[in-house]
Each structure stands twice: as structure tokens, then as C-alpha cells.
Amino acid sequence: MNQLADLEAHGTLIEPATLEIRRILPASVERVWEYLTDSDLRRQWLASGDMTMKAGTSFELVWRNDELSPRPSSPGCRPEGVGDEIRMNSRIIELDPPRRLVITWQGDGEVSFDLAARGEDTLLTIVHRRLAERGTRLAVSAGWHTHLDILLARMNQREPEPFWDGWSRLRAEYEKRFSA
């Protein structure tokens, strides 16, 4: 096995309020870029929302996590207080197609997506900054991990785990990993 196969699936805190999560995806950089920037492809693993590919432009992301499950009628047990749809206004901060995209997140947060070719595959590195509160860090870590698991399943033409079951399991794992 090479070191790419040993890549840790869990995110790590590279600073107290900064999560980094990396995945090797079985597609070219250009194809992974499409999964990040095309609303129809992005909604299959994360959230929909049309983006005008220009730094400084605003856009809205719309999550319908129940629909990401193999059978949307069985998405798992959604946590109390979480609605069936989440909307977030965002803005493109930096754009270097097809290698780098940086966007705002929940007001003052920031997420960067960096893509690098690894043979026929792509290394996707996501860095989510300004996760000051512990509960937010846990939820976001489990969220990115679950969404990336779904992206990987879709790219490998497999059924993903029901969204909320995976998210709940991973949130508990991150609670142990990030214990104070």
C-alpha cells in the first residue's frame, strides 16, 4: 500500500478553531471541481446553490441532508432542533479554478477547498476556520466527514450510509477525538 491509501479519514484540528480534513477521490481534479462548483452535482453530496464563478460574488447554499440518504424516506434520526432544510448565504473569497476555492461560512467563518492531482485521483483538502465553540467544531467535523463519505460513495457508485446515522456516529467519535 502507498501512503495515499493510509490517509486518515477523520479531520484534525490544526489549530484550536481550525479543522482540516483530506480525502483521496477517484476522479480527476477537473471532475472533483465540478462536484464542488456545479449545484446539481454538489447537491448529491453536500448542498445545492448556484455559484457565479467570480471572487466577491455571493451565493446561497441549501442543505437537504435527508435527501442524501439512499432512501430519503429513511435518512436516520435527525437531531432535535435541526430542520429538514438549512440555508446559508456565502461569498466566494478566492478562486483559482480548478485548484482552489475559498468561501465564507456562517458569517465570519471560512472554508477553503484545495485540489491536487495524485495520479488519476485527486487529493481534496478542506480547511474550515473559525470554529470557536466546541459544539460547533463537533457538528462541523462530523458534517464534513459525513458529506465526504457520501461524495466518495457516489463517486464509487455505492450507496452511502443514511445521513443522520453516519453524522450521529461520527459526532460521537469526534467528541472522543477532540476531548478537552
Side-chain angles (χ1 to χ4, degrees):
M1 288 259 144
N2 62 31
Q3 66 193 74
L4 294 179
D6 296 333
L7 188 66
E8 170 65 55
H10 287 83
T12 57
L13 293 177
I14 58 173
E15 295 175 4
T18 302
L19 173 76
E20 178 183 73
I21 189 164
R22 302 179 310 152
R23 288 294 171 82
I24 297 293
L25 300 171
S28 69
V29 167
E30 292 77 15
R31 185 65 174 155
V32 174
W33 182 259
E34 290 174 348
Y35 272 93
L36 289 175
T37 59
D38 180 271
S39 180
D40 289 335
L41 290 173
R42 191 179 347 95
R43 77 170 181 74
Q44 295 176 28
W45 70 279
L46 183 65
S48 64
D50 291 325
M51 301 170 102
T52 300
M53 300 310 297
K54 181 178 177 186
T57 60
S58 296
F59 62 96
E60 182 181 53
L61 290 173
V62 180
W63 280 264
R64 293 184 184 101
N65 291 327
D66 292 358
E67 295 176 7
L68 298 176
S69 296
R71 289 176 297 285
S73 61
S74 303
C77 185
R78 186 182 325 134
E80 188 175 320
V82 175
D84 61 351
E85 180 179 279
I86 300 167
R87 292 179 172 265
M88 182 182 79
N89 289 318
S90 194
R91 184 174 46 82
I92 296 176
I93 299 172
E94 187 179 334
L95 184 66
D96 182 16
R99 293 179 291 280
R100 182 169 173 79
L101 173 65
V102 183
I103 64 173
T104 60
W105 195 274
Q106 294 287 3
D108 70 342
E110 180 182 299
V111 177
S112 62
F113 303 87
D114 289 291
L115 289 74
R118 296 294 184 260
E120 293 181 8
D121 298 330
T122 298
L123 171 62
L124 171 62
T125 302
I126 298 174
V127 177
H128 194 137
R129 293 172 181 79
R130 297 185 200 100
L131 297 167
E133 296 178 15
R134 177 173 170 74
T136 301
R137 273 191 306 277
L138 295 173
V140 166
S141 297
W144 280 120
H145 193 138
T146 305
H147 285 291
L148 288 171
D149 283 352
I150 291 169
L151 176 58
L152 191 57
R154 299 262 191 250
M155 289 183 146
N156 284 317
Q157 299 177 355
R158 291 180 313 184
E159 269 196 12
E161 175 179 20
F163 182 86
W164 293 112
D165 291 348
W167 183 88
S168 296
R169 176 182 51 76
L170 287 163
R171 190 186 183 292
E173 287 180 25
Y174 279 102
E175 179 119 35
K176 290 176 188 169
R177 287 176 163 270
F178 296 164
S179 61

